[in-house]
Amino acid sequence: MKPYIALSAILVAMLLVACSARGEVRVVRQEIVVRLVPPQHLVVGESTLHLAPGAAGELSLALNGSARLEAVRLDGRDIPFRREGGTLRLNLPVGTGERRVTVAYRCIFNDPAPERPVVTEDPSYGVSAVVAERGTYLGSGAGWYPEPTAPPGSRIVTVRAPEGIEAVTAGRRAARATAGGVTTSVWEEEHPAEALSLSAGSYVVAERNVDGIPLYTYLYPENAALADRYLEASAGYLRFYAEKFGPYPFEKFAVVENFFPTGYGFPSYTLIGGTVIRLPFIVHTSLPHEIAHCWWGNGVLVAYDRGNWSEGLVTYLADHLLEERKSARDGRDYRYRLLADYASLVPAGEDFPLRRFLGRVDPASRAIGYGKGAMLFHMVRREIGDDVFFGALRQVFREFRFKAASWDDFALAFSRASGRDMVSFMNPWLERAGGPRLALAEVKRRQGGDGWFASGVVRQEGDAFPGRVRVRVDADGTSRDSLVELKGGRTGFTVDVSGPPERVTLDPEADTFRLLSPEELPATVNRIKGSTALTVVTAPGCGADRDTLALLLRSLGQAEAPLIRQDQADAAALAGRDILFCGVPGTAGIRSPLPHGVSVSAGAFAVDGTTYAGAGDMLFAVANRPDAPGRVTAFLHSLSPAAAGAAALKITHYGRFGVLVFSGGDNRVKETPPALSETSVVTFDRQVDR
């Protein structure tokens, strides 16, 4: 993801752009010098802003409202100023020649960083800025330096810290040295595009060069051995995306470790938490996502006043595209997970149009901005073809590099490249909440002439959306597809095949954004996360203490779910609700079937024929409730409190899976039992009368 930006900060940024358009003083070059004093949580700073010759008028600078100003000077002389909260305003008199404004200040930054963070949809964990012995993180919205309304023409940042504390920010590393007990890092930007963030810590630095681009890792000593893995992977992704989108837009790329869990993509570097960076899959998931943001979101900026397209596009071009490169099946499975997440995580009444997405604030907004956004780009690509789609993206990158682009700019680019009106195609998906509910109806097979055919209707509920949906007919070991244009409530189809049709499948490749029916949804962790009616039932042998259970529920976004004992539960109390059992329920009438291949007993459990009976083993399994369509039952079965403590907070990371096994906190099994529905799959008997 891009750096977490609160919605209020986005609105402030939009207002600042408006102010800039009214002709505020423009900063040609900015020099920032800061000294970090970790024991005191202190930043001591001085910034010099070089203005155009003769510049006069109001200069507005964002600076933390708690900062103590030590000097404000124009061309070496003190000048009056006024402060309005986090804004410093200076009225510059008319003058001649190049003008320089210098601001000296100091400020304490000490947001509490989480010791044992519970995953939430706020990836900042409430930390905007902290200077501490453990490490330093100064976020772009924290006001840690005097920030002009519009980015300056160029920028140089010098960071001085205690010996061994290396600092990283945007731009090219111009110098790095240690002398007299002080480590100095200097970074220069030729094309500043947005506000600065900065990180510092006792890093071990590794580096290499790929096609003229410096690559770095800044890792804490305990993770320094990961440097080669991240450098090698970064080099591969940079080359891959440069071929797809155009030249890498920044002076360097760095993988920087944070001392609390984050996954930020800043201009020219990514900041990943230490507990996350050690996970073996991150190099194949989060890393390419953040590198893709160097083109989309940091290279081409987001016009937030018209919606945030970058998370949907990067989800599609990183997370999805890399799955698709593995195999067509992996790409299809990823798209289906996006549809399932949307249906699981976006409750009725919490949906909103894609154009209104600015940033994720909860699971529903993430499913809309990331998932629906990715699916829209996929549908565009299916409509206009790969060559035209990627050619249009390269044109957008050339045209809007270091400038803000909107959804409309992408729609126009796709239209120009394809010679089709893609604006009319995209607008309904952008401006309407939700999507179509599609279902097969009246499906039949018949023999005619020398062959067979399958016919039926694609039924669309709700508002009509533009596009096409694939219908596949399987017969005699082969498949034949037909693209059905979505036209109103009912669209007929007929597909000719050589032999007796055996199965008809709607949207077999998950190419069309649609609202899955409850019968189509697999039972997954996300069904629990998205539940609006969850009850937690503690049964004998729960295996998780009350604190661990509370942390688990918080991480799943279910901190307010009622918790009752098994002897308080009955069928009436649980009617129409999702259930999370902790332990093995034994009361007749409230126990739902376990997923296929899963069995439990008081001191063990088995998955797919493998028995787990160690003190460090834990099971989390989700199954559909046959007595309550659309509802699920989850089972947490931990064989010791320690096992639950080691694994409970990891469950939320496996949202798309329905069966999870952990041993000693490490994941051993992750599976999702399939869900089939007659609304999307119709199967015929193999035997037919000829």
Side-chain angles (χ1 to χ4, degrees), residues 123-453:
S124 74
Y125 293 94
V127 180
S128 64
V130 56
V131 179
E133 301 281 5
R134 293 169 59 198
T136 290
Y137 168 68
L138 300 173
S140 58
W144 61 273
Y145 70 97
E147 179 193 346
T149 298
S154 63
R155 188 160 52 195
I156 182 169
V157 180
T158 300
V159 183
R160 299 190 176 103
E163 182 173 351
I165 304 298
E166 303 272 359
V168 188
T169 187
R172 176 182 69 88
R173 193 177 71 191
R176 171 180 170 235
T178 297
V182 176
T183 292
T184 302
S185 308
V186 182
W187 300 89
E188 294 181 348
E189 288 180 281
E190 296 178 3
H191 302 286
E194 56 187 62
L196 283 169
S197 295
L198 182 145
S199 294
S202 54
Y203 296 133
V204 177
V205 182
E207 57 190 274
R208 71 173 59 175
N209 190 287
V210 55
D211 302 331
I213 302 168
L215 301 183
Y216 304 106
T217 57
Y218 281 73
L219 305 178
Y220 284 102
E222 56 267 30
N223 287 327
L226 300 174
D228 285 344
R229 179 194 303 176
Y230 275 91
L231 290 171
E232 186 68 27
S234 297
Y237 293 129
L238 286 171
R239 286 174 172 149
F240 174 70
Y241 288 132
E243 291 177 1
K244 287 285 185 185
F245 313 136
Y248 180 69
F250 294 107
E251 300 93 342
K252 63 108 176 17
F253 181 74
V255 176
V256 183
E257 182 177 347
N258 201 9
F259 59 96
F260 63 94
T262 49
Y264 289 165
F266 297 116
S268 79
Y269 72 103
T270 182
L271 182 65
I272 304 177
T275 58
V276 176
I277 209 167
R278 291 191 291 270
L279 299 173
F281 56 83
I282 292 299
V283 74
H284 307 297
T285 54
S286 296
L287 179 63
H289 185 103
E290 305 308 343
I291 290 177
H293 268 309
C294 289
W295 280 265
W296 307 111
N298 289 324
V300 176
L301 306 178
V302 178
Y304 282 103
D305 59 331
R306 288 170 284 173
N308 180 357
W309 47 265
S310 72
E311 294 301 351
L313 182 58
V314 168
T315 296
Y316 187 62
L317 296 176
D319 309 64
H320 168 268
L321 190 59
L322 294 175
E323 289 296 310
E324 186 183 74
R325 288 177 75 201
K326 297 177 186 175
S327 71
R329 173 64 182 272
D330 286 314
R332 182 265 176 203
D333 288 349
Y334 186 86
R335 295 189 295 274
Y336 189 81
R337 291 197 297 269
L338 293 180
L339 299 180
D341 284 353
Y342 195 96
S344 301
L345 299 173
V346 184
E350 295 188 21
D351 207 344
F352 57 83
L354 184 54
R355 197 184 286 277
R356 282 176 42 202
F357 172 75
L358 298 180
R360 69 174 190 172
V361 295
D362 54 25
S365 60
R366 175 166 53 85
I368 294 167
Y370 291 62
K372 184 179 182 180
M375 286 299 300
L376 178 53
F377 281 110
H378 180 70
M379 290 189 292
V380 169
R381 179 183 169 200
R382 295 287 300 177
E383 288 289 326
I384 65 179
D386 280 17
D387 291 344
V388 175
F389 177 79
F390 286 106
L393 291 182
R394 287 190 290 273
Q395 180 58 40
V396 170
F397 179 70
R398 287 192 295 268
E399 184 177 350
F400 289 94
R401 181 177 173 179
F402 302 132
K403 295 188 292 186
S406 70
W407 278 109
D408 299 321
D409 295 316
F410 281 90
L412 289 171
F414 292 137
S415 297
R416 288 194 299 264
S418 65
R420 295 178 51 187
D421 179 11
M422 298 306 295
V423 175
S424 297
F425 176 86
M426 292 179 66
N427 274 346
W429 298 99
L430 291 169
E431 295 169 358
R432 299 180 196 164
R437 291 190 181 274
L438 304 178
L440 293 172
E442 303 170 28
V443 177
K444 302 174 183 176
R445 65 176 178 180
R446 292 180 182 174
Q447 188 173 17
D450 296 331
W452 289 77
F453 64 89

Side-chain angles (χ1 to χ4, degrees), residues 63-123:
L63 183 64
N64 192 284
S66 299
R68 190 179 81 194
L69 289 171
E70 299 186 329
V72 179
R73 299 187 179 99
L74 173 64
D75 298 330
R77 298 181 179 179
D78 291 341
I79 60 169
F81 59 86
R82 69 183 189 276
R83 300 186 74 173
E84 299 172 1
T87 302
L88 173 65
R89 299 191 187 278
L90 295 75
N91 286 310
L92 308 182
V94 175
T96 59
E98 181 179 344
R99 319 202 76 186
R100 292 177 299 138
V101 170
T102 302
V103 179
Y105 60 98
R106 60 178 55 215
C107 191
I108 289 174
F109 295 100
N110 192 26
D111 289 347
E115 295 288 342
R116 192 185 183 196
V118 174
V119 173
T120 70
E121 291 302 325
D122 176 359

